[in-house]
Amino acid sequence: MLKLVGFSLLVLFSSERPATVEGVYDYYKYHPMSEIGVWMVQMKEDHPDLVTRVEYGTTYEKRTISLLKIGLKTNAIKKIAWMDCGIHASEWIAPAFCQYFVNQILQSYKTDAKIRRMMENLDFYVTPVLNVDGYIYSWKDSTTRLWRKNRKPGPSTGCYGTDLDLNFDANWGNLGASFNCSSDTFCGTNPESESEVKAVADLVRKQRGNFLCFLSIQSFGQLILFPYGDPNDTVPNYNELMKVGQDAAEAIKKVHGQNYTVGSFPNVLYPDSGSIRDWARMQGIRFSYTFKLRDKGTFQLPEDQIQPACEEAYRGALRVITHAHDQIYGGGAAATAATLWTLLLAAGVTLM
Ligand SMILES: *[C@@H]1O[C@H](CO)[C@@H](O)[C@H](O)[C@H]1NC(C)=O
Ligand SMILES: *[C@@H]1O[C@H](CO)[C@@H](O)[C@H](O)[C@H]1NC(C)=O
Ligand SMILES: *[C@@H]1O[C@H](CO)[C@@H](O)[C@H](O)[C@H]1NC(C)=O
Ligand SMILES: [Zn+2]
């Protein structure tokens, strides 16, 4: 009996990446918005017990903004781990990462006791593409590939788009922002002037006490950045954000040896304002970071780097989420006899 248990566990835990590619979806290619939309529906259909699709806003061009809510359904009020990708249209690795992340947690929760426990306590809110109009525009042709902003016409004729990561109501317009609507750093006409930003802000405000952590996944630079964008404004849990960020960088480095730099946004890059990261922290969400993924020089990360970039960033993101989770629910991998039996039974059922 014991031998059987040991054997089953070995089988369960030895497959490092069980069925990474769900069906025929290729996680190591960039996908246009239409395919990402189909993929979202597919995730829901493949995992009806875990995944719901929440439509929470509309873009300027009247497209739906939606997230995947992922977690075990319980009667308790659950905490939330937020992840947005694609706030800047050109950063294609970000939506690719969100999709990879979703697939990984859905594949591993049956065999990974820690992920399962987090799925019991938390819902993951993952928005694969926040700036939907901009993303579609960046796929149009080679001249629009590096488009960054959304697609709302500006206040003067002939200019388009606001940088959504400068449009949040957090020291809006004061640092690193332009009021020239032709500029790539145009911050909008007022805080939350952009419907994409308003959608996020409204959703968070409705349940702000439940958010445990907030990750905005972007590129490039291999950076883990935390609030505030104003160099004269030190975040109250600076040391904690630095420590957890460094733990995440260490976890990343273990995967493929890549160096990630950790620090407050202005200390590492330049002062900014109106960011989703600062705004989330100002809502009282303790762990708020901007991850800038590979590489160190281009928004157009070659497709052959999607896999290593996602594999390492996954470990970094999980490190932050796990820390935030454990602070509330306690650590431990939940490797109790009861949990192991549950896992075995679940695996047995699936294997049959
Ligand atoms: C606005 O920005 C555009 C693009 O960067 C630039 O060409 C133009 O000169 C700017 N206009 C003003 C008034 O600064
Ligand atoms: C920070 O404070 C110093 C001293 O008061 C001031 O000179 C500087 O302009 C401030 N920086 C920003 C970005 O507000
Ligand atoms: C990371 O940084 C270390 C120390 O500076 C350096 O030796 C190493 O080559 C870097 N790794 C990569 C992949 O750049
Ligand atoms: Zn960005």
Side-chain angles (χ1 to χ4, degrees):
M1 188 60 192
L2 276 175
K3 231 179 198 139
L4 178 65
V5 171
F7 177 72
S8 307
L9 283 178
L10 192 66
V11 170
L12 280 175
F13 292 131
S14 67
S15 58
E16 194 182 281
R17 215 175 52 212
T20 302
V21 178
E22 178 101 26
V24 293
Y25 200 80
D26 189 344
Y27 287 91
Y28 306 135
K29 272 192 147 44
Y30 294 121
H31 292 274
M33 194 63 222
S34 56
E35 290 176 17
I36 297 174
V38 171
W39 170 85
M40 287 180 84
V41 171
Q42 192 63 48
M43 286 294 107
K44 186 176 80 104
E45 284 175 3
D46 289 349
H47 307 272
D49 48 333
L50 289 170
V51 179
T52 19
R53 191 167 144 274
V54 180
E55 301 185 343
Y56 66 96
T58 309
T59 66
Y60 172 75
E61 291 174 345
K62 302 276 172 270
R63 297 186 178 94
T64 300
I65 304 168
S66 47
L67 60 78
L68 293 179
K69 175 178 169 182
I70 302 159
L72 288 158
K73 300 199 166 94
T74 69
N75 292 324
I77 294 178
K78 299 178 74 181
K79 296 291 184 187
I80 298 164
W82 172 276
M83 183 180 291
D84 63 81
C85 292
I87 195 170
H88 293 140
S90 53
E91 301 166 359
W92 287 5
I93 185 60
F97 177 73
C98 263
Q99 295 168 79
Y100 176 90
F101 180 87
V102 165
N103 187 51
Q104 282 300 119
I105 59 173
L106 287 172
Q107 294 299 324
S108 59
Y109 91 97
K110 286 196 194 101
T111 52
D112 183 326
K114 187 74 190 186
I115 300 277
R116 186 177 174 88
R117 192 156 168 258
M118 291 205 284
M119 290 248 200
E120 285 164 4
N121 296 323
L122 313 176
D123 285 323
F124 294 86
Y125 280 25
V126 181
T127 302
V129 183
L130 177 53
N131 178 7
V132 179
D133 296 347
Y135 188 72
I136 289 171
Y137 191 65
S138 75
W139 272 83
K140 196 164 82 75
D141 58 48
S142 60
T143 65
T144 64
R145 170 64 187 85
L146 290 177
W147 187 258
R148 178 179 184 81
K149 305 184 285 179
N150 73 352
R151 290 297 298 161
K152 186 170 141 187
S156 33
T157 49
C159 66
Y160 289 85
T162 293
D163 183 335
L164 301 180
D165 205 20
L166 295 169
N167 187 244
F168 282 79
D169 191 5
N171 196 27
W172 176 82
N174 283 331
L175 292 166
S178 170
F179 294 100
N180 173 353
C181 59
S182 297
S183 163
D184 244 1
T185 56
F186 180 57
C187 62
T189 48
N190 49 276
E192 296 181 21
S193 57
E194 306 313 296
S195 60
E196 297 86 353
V197 169
K198 182 90 167 44
V200 172
D202 283 345
L203 179 136
V204 173
R205 273 191 287 261
K206 268 185 218 143
Q207 41 191 331
R208 88 181 97 200
N210 294 333
F211 284 84
L212 274 190
C213 57
F214 204 96
L215 302 181
S216 183
I217 308 295
Q218 308 187 14
S219 72
F220 56 85
Q222 303 187 187
L223 310 170
I224 297 175
L225 305 168
F226 54 83
Y228 285 113
D230 180 348
N232 288 344
D233 192 0
T234 303
V235 71
N237 61 331
Y238 180 97
N239 291 338
E240 180 180 47
L241 286 167
M242 182 62 101
K243 172 73 171 68
V244 174
Q246 284 168 343
D247 287 352
E250 209 170 282
I252 287 172
K253 184 160 187 155
K254 275 187 191 147
V255 183
H256 296 294
Q258 289 297 314
N259 296 315
Y260 267 59
T261 305
V262 185
S264 74
F265 201 87
N267 285 354
V268 174
L269 279 182
Y270 42 77
D272 78 346
S273 57
S275 69
I276 193 170
R277 164 197 73 253
D278 281 9
W279 182 82
R281 185 64 192 84
M282 287 164 70
Q283 302 308 299
I285 304 167
R286 203 169 172 86
F287 299 99
S288 177
Y289 291 94
T290 301
F291 274 41
K292 293 199 179 253
L293 309 187
R294 287 194 193 193
D295 52 12
K296 291 189 173 176
T298 176
F299 291 114
Q300 304 183 74
L301 187 70
E303 267 186 338
D304 64 7
Q305 284 195 52
I306 296 176
Q307 179 168 4
C310 287
E311 286 170 350
E312 67 198 14
Y314 179 71
R315 291 296 148 200
L318 263 195
R319 193 67 206 82
V320 174
I321 297 165
T322 304
H323 182 91
H325 169 273
D326 291 356
Q327 202 172 66
I328 305 284
Y329 298 101
T336 61
T339 315
L340 289 180
W341 269 116
T342 313
L343 287 172
L344 275 176
L345 290 175
V349 169
T350 325
L351 290 173
M352 282 188 286

